[in-house]
Amino acid sequence: MIQAIVFLPLLAALIAGLGQRVIGTTASKILTTGALFTSCALSWPIFLSFVMGSGEAEVVTVLHWVSSGALQFNWELRVDTLTAVMLVVITTVSALVHLYSWGYMEEDPDQPRFFAYLSLFTFAMLMLVTANNLVQMFFGWEGVGLASYLLIGFWYKKPSANAAAIKAFVVNRVGDLGFMLGIFGTFLVFGTVSIPEILAAAPGMAGSTITFMGMRLDTMTILCLLLFIGAMGKSAQLGLHTWLPDAMEGPTPVSALIHAATMVTAGVFMVCRLSPMFETSEVALGVVTFVGAATCLFAATVGTTQWDIKRVIAYSTCSQLGYMFFAAGVGAYGAAMFHLFTHAFFKALLFLGAGSVIHAMHHEQDMRYYGGLRKHIPITFWAMMMGTLAITGVGIAGVAGFAGFHSKDGILEAAFAAGGGGVIAFWVGIFAALLTSFYSWRLVFLTFYGKPRWEQSEHIQHAVHDDHGHGHDDHAHAAQGDHHHHDAHHGASGDGTAGYHPHESPVSMLIPLVLLSIGAVFAGYAFKYQFIYPEQGLAFWNGSMLAYDAELMHHSHQVDTWVKWTPFTVMAIGLFLAWNSYIRNTTLPARFVAQFKLLHQFLYNKWYFDELYNVLFVKPAFWIGRFFWKKGDEGTIDRFGPDGAAALVAGGTRLAVRLQSGYVYGYAFVMLLGLVGLASWAMVNFL
């Protein structure tokens, strides 16, 4: 069964990608979507068996892979609780994204390639989470990096999409260097890349030292920090986060797939999979906690100022990943995985809902040009409401709540119970929760409430202009960006929108929204006991190698009442602030920006990380590149190498041409000179 789950997406990707001209567009879409729904249908029984307590960890050998001296390992698929959680997350979101793309990418002329990339991405992620050794994990790790590059740059005729794809690829290479060094060091220390063997031996290495960069340092701290650098790149943590918002240049289904359930959660999964290693180093756990909390705060502050609907949700993803990491840093790995699980449903819902809004607004992504859409696209509105209620953590302690309420509050309570740095992370998380509520409800109010502001949008004006008969090439337009042409309805709308009337998305896009809404509402309550309650959690995680701390989770449920009610309180404050600013008193945001102009610019420009990196890394890299190009390549290698040799040959050729005149008297003269020279030499040497 596990072989089918993993390899069906690969088979579908190969057939759709290589055989699209033979089988056609529709068959490619049916094949890839069918393969993902089949993998999804096979994944849920595995997950539910672990939920019910009847599942058992197993390892399935696919083939013997490498045997080189001490380095020996097989290609194996590991199935345990941790894998089962990731299987349902990946296959469910990917299957629904495939279905959603039927409607969203309908006008794109290159759909088979798109669906093949989606399936290839899913296969690589499945390879990562089923890995039983570090090399196989790295194979999947790099596979999702490649597939994300292809998907982000899918519209390769769009310069910004190409730049975003390259940026994602390069930034992730920085993190991957740390990951590779961590794998090399782990093999050096443990003599194996087998994850079970490494985790079994890890406690025995606590306190040992190793020479690194000429210094004797704690072995496990160095290994864990190197591995965590890889996680920082893949999961867009502070410092290596700059690629994530730019990845919005890809089609919206790509955003949902990459930022909801797959690529960006790979780092969290890796830290949880190797949690027994991290448990041997307090320093490494402290770094994970600090970086996670800092990322949580940074992304939340930036999200409050953005106008692009997809970028707001992208920074929200970055912030939620911070929650997962500082949960892992304080030892609450079950809570980290729980938030990963619930986050997949409501974040995919928010991204796909945003895509539905963009579809209705003729590829307009600026929320300043929305307003009043709840009457025109009611299903999308209610789906986005469910996602917003989930991500902001709406619920009543001890009673009920949406998915994010159970998982995010579980993280905050565990952080507080952990004490020390966990308390600091708790307060950072509380402030981030306030900001999350504000920017999430800000998105809802700007998009679905208030008066329509569509007449200010060039995209809407262009749509109406085209519908009057001027037209444009839909296919070429779709290839240039996140664009879809659909009918503009005319008539006296009475709302100053130049006659444009947004309409609901097709059924293929609405079905995923409805199904993900169910997950956003019930996923937290349905599975909270298995993930974060001590006794059930011990049984659920048994055999997964996860360092589940039942004592910490027990204490997390015993925290003071004010700790449990604080997240709800700040959520309500954020909701009120957003309502007061964008519904009741719409002039307030402009006055705030005018009053705190420097702060707003700092946040709107993303803390100037891109500008800083441009000065520190990009410009010096270009200068070094130009120097070696002009002085090294052209000025030295070409000059004295191929160009110099070519010049020497050309000069010799010209000389030879002059000597080979073709006249007999010229040759006779040369012969005479030769005879005179020979005679002179003989006279000197023999007479």
Side-chain angles (χ1 to χ4, degrees):
M1 182 180 292
I2 185 63
Q3 296 96 319
I5 293 173
V6 173
F7 290 108
L8 274 176
L10 174 63
L11 181 63
L14 291 174
I15 296 175
L18 301 178
Q20 56 179 290
R21 294 185 179 180
V22 177
I23 65 176
T25 298
T26 303
S28 298
K29 292 158 66 176
I30 292 174
L31 177 65
T32 52
T33 307
L36 261 298
F37 272 95
T38 302
S39 292
C40 179
L42 295 174
S43 297
W44 273 98
I46 295 176
F47 172 70
L48 293 177
S49 69
F50 284 100
V51 171
M52 301 301 293
S54 59
E56 294 184 2
E58 64 173 328
V59 177
V60 178
T61 301
V62 178
L63 52 83
H64 297 291
W65 198 356
V66 171
S67 179
S68 177
L71 182 63
Q72 299 187 27
F73 54 89
N74 299 328
W75 189 341
E76 297 173 333
L77 305 178
R78 181 178 183 85
V79 182
D80 57 22
T81 308
L82 196 60
T83 305
V85 172
M86 297 302 297
L87 287 180
V88 295
V89 164
I90 295 166
T91 58
T92 301
V93 173
S94 184
L96 293 177
V97 166
H98 274 72
L99 178 60
Y100 181 93
S101 299
W102 277 64
Y104 196 86
M105 302 295 291
E106 183 180 5
E107 298 296 330
D108 197 280
D110 209 0
Q111 294 178 65
R113 180 168 64 92
F114 180 76
F115 279 83
Y117 287 170
L118 289 181
S119 295
L120 178 64
F121 185 100
T122 307
F123 161 73
M125 194 65 199
L126 291 171
M127 282 299 304
L128 191 159
V129 301
T130 57
N132 200 40
N133 62 73
L134 292 177
V135 177
Q136 185 179 328
M137 182 182 285
F138 187 73
F139 173 80
W141 195 272
E142 293 302 292
V144 293
L146 169 64
S148 67
Y149 170 80
L150 297 173
L151 285 167
I152 295 169
F154 176 75
W155 284 315
Y156 54 85
K157 294 182 180 179
K158 186 180 178 184
S160 59
N162 282 327
I166 294 172
K167 186 175 183 179
F169 200 78
V170 171
V171 173
N172 272 276
R173 296 291 73 72
V174 177
D176 292 350
L177 174 62
F179 192 34
M180 284 189 290
L181 292 175
I183 294 175
F184 298 155
T186 302
F187 176 71
L188 177 67
V189 171
F190 293 96
T192 180
V193 292
S194 170
I195 293 175
E197 295 179 16
I198 292 169
L199 299 186
M205 294 301 299
S208 64
T209 59
I210 190 174
T211 300
F212 181 74
M213 298 181 67
M215 298 176 286
R216 295 296 295 183
L217 301 172
D218 184 80
T219 303
M220 298 308 297
T221 297
I222 292 300
L223 296 182
C224 290
L225 289 179
L226 289 173
L227 293 169
F228 180 61
I229 290 173
M232 288 178 62
K234 200 64 70 182
S235 294
Q237 293 301 282
L238 189 65
L240 296 178
H241 67 280
T242 54
W243 67 270
L244 187 141
D246 287 17
M248 296 298 101
E249 292 293 339
T252 296
V254 173
S255 302
L257 188 61
I258 292 178
H259 300 97
T262 51
M263 178 172 170
V264 294
T265 60
V268 179
F269 166 80
M270 186 264 283
V271 171
C272 290
R273 171 61 85 196
L274 303 179
S275 55
M277 286 184 66
F278 282 83
E279 283 295 303
T280 63
S281 173
E282 292 185 5
V283 174
L285 288 177
V287 171
V288 174
T289 303
F290 172 79
V291 172
T295 305
C296 182
L297 176 64
F298 156 76
T301 59
V302 176
T304 60
T305 63
Q306 301 302 301
W307 293 112
D308 187 308
I309 187 171
K310 288 173 64 177
R311 284 182 179 264
V312 173
I313 303 174
Y315 279 108
S316 170
T317 298
C318 193
S319 182
Q320 298 304 308
L321 289 166
Y323 277 105
M324 300 175 205
F325 274 111
F326 80 65
V330 300
Y333 301 102
M337 289 303 301
F338 189 28
H339 198 50
L340 186 157
F341 178 77
T342 60
H343 175 264
F345 293 103
F346 60 73
K347 187 50 62 68
L349 174 61
L350 288 170
F351 267 117
L352 296 185
S356 184
V357 172
I358 295 168
H359 186 274
M361 294 302 291
H362 205 272
H363 57 78
E364 176 61 74
Q365 296 181 197
D366 194 322
M367 296 185 296
R368 288 173 291 188
Y369 304 136
Y370 290 168
L373 287 175
R374 71 185 188 280
K375 299 177 182 178
H376 301 279
I377 48 175
I379 299 177
T380 299
F381 164 67
W382 283 110
M384 291 286 283
M385 280 295 293
M386 295 303 102
T388 302
L389 290 168
I391 193 173
T392 56
V394 174
I396 300 175
V399 181
F402 291 83
F405 167 77
H406 296 285
S407 59
K408 186 161 67 175
D409 284 25
I411 288 176
L412 292 171
E413 291 165 12
F416 186 85
V423 177
I424 299 175
F426 166 80
W427 285 111
V428 171
I430 288 295
F431 184 63
L434 170 65
L435 298 178
T436 299
S437 179
F438 174 78
Y439 67 65
S440 297
W441 289 111
R442 170 179 178 263
L443 184 153
V444 170
F445 294 146
L446 282 171
T447 303
F448 297 105
Y449 288 84
K451 295 181 180 180
R453 301 177 295 277
W454 314 332
E455 74 278 0
Q456 304 172 30
S457 170
E458 294 182 2
H459 298 284
I460 300 301
Q461 293 176 2
H462 182 63
V464 176
H465 179 73
D466 286 343
D467 199 58
H468 276 298
H470 296 279
H472 66 283
D473 185 347
D474 289 339
H475 289 179
H477 199 55
Q480 291 296 324
D482 208 349
H483 307 330
H484 293 272
H485 179 72
H486 40 81
D487 295 332
H489 301 284
H490 293 275
S493 64
D495 54 14
T497 57
Y500 187 78
H501 180 72
H503 57 85
E504 193 61 272
S505 300
V507 175
S508 62
M509 294 172 63
L510 296 180
I511 291 176
L513 294 183
V514 173
L515 295 176
L516 288 169
S517 296
I518 296 173
V521 175
F522 297 109
Y525 181 79
F527 302 107
K528 64 179 181 179
Y529 294 101
Q530 286 76 18
F531 280 93
I532 59 174
Y533 277 75
E535 295 181 1
Q536 295 92 330
L538 280 174
F540 181 63
W541 294 109
N542 183 38
S544 67
M545 303 181 294
L546 188 80
Y548 187 80
D549 191 340
E551 183 179 357
L552 173 62
M553 300 317 299
H554 173 75
H555 289 310
S556 72
H557 295 294
Q558 304 300 318
V559 295
D560 295 336
T561 303
W562 70 266
V563 175
K564 296 184 177 183
W565 277 94
T566 301
F568 177 84
T569 304
V570 296
M571 179 280 301
I573 294 173
L575 169 59
F576 172 77
L577 291 175
W579 173 81
N580 188 52
S581 301
Y582 296 98
I583 297 295
R584 182 187 178 195
N585 187 358
T586 55
T587 62
L588 185 59
R591 298 205 310 268
F592 180 87
V593 170
Q595 183 72 25
F596 301 97
K597 187 175 182 179
L598 292 178
L599 175 63
H600 179 266
Q601 288 181 343
F602 179 71
L603 299 180
Y604 184 75
N605 288 286
K606 303 157 288 187
W607 292 23
Y608 293 100
F609 267 100
D610 285 297
E611 290 78 3
L612 178 64
Y613 286 177
N614 188 52
V615 172
L616 294 179
F617 304 115
V618 178
K619 287 185 177 179
F622 274 104
W623 183 88
I624 293 172
R626 282 192 296 270
F627 175 80
F628 281 109
W629 169 31
K630 293 295 184 181
K631 301 296 184 181
D633 195 4
E634 292 185 349
T636 304
I637 297 175
D638 285 350
R639 179 182 178 186
F640 298 104
D643 290 350
L648 185 62
V649 170
T653 300
R654 287 192 294 270
L655 179 61
V657 167
R658 292 183 178 181
L659 292 176
Q660 301 294 335
S661 63
Y663 294 110
V664 175
Y665 61 79
Y667 297 135
F669 178 70
V670 172
M671 292 174 62
L672 179 60
L673 291 177
L675 289 173
V676 171
L678 179 62
S680 300
W681 177 80
M683 292 174 63
V684 171
N685 288 278
F686 296 105
L687 296 178

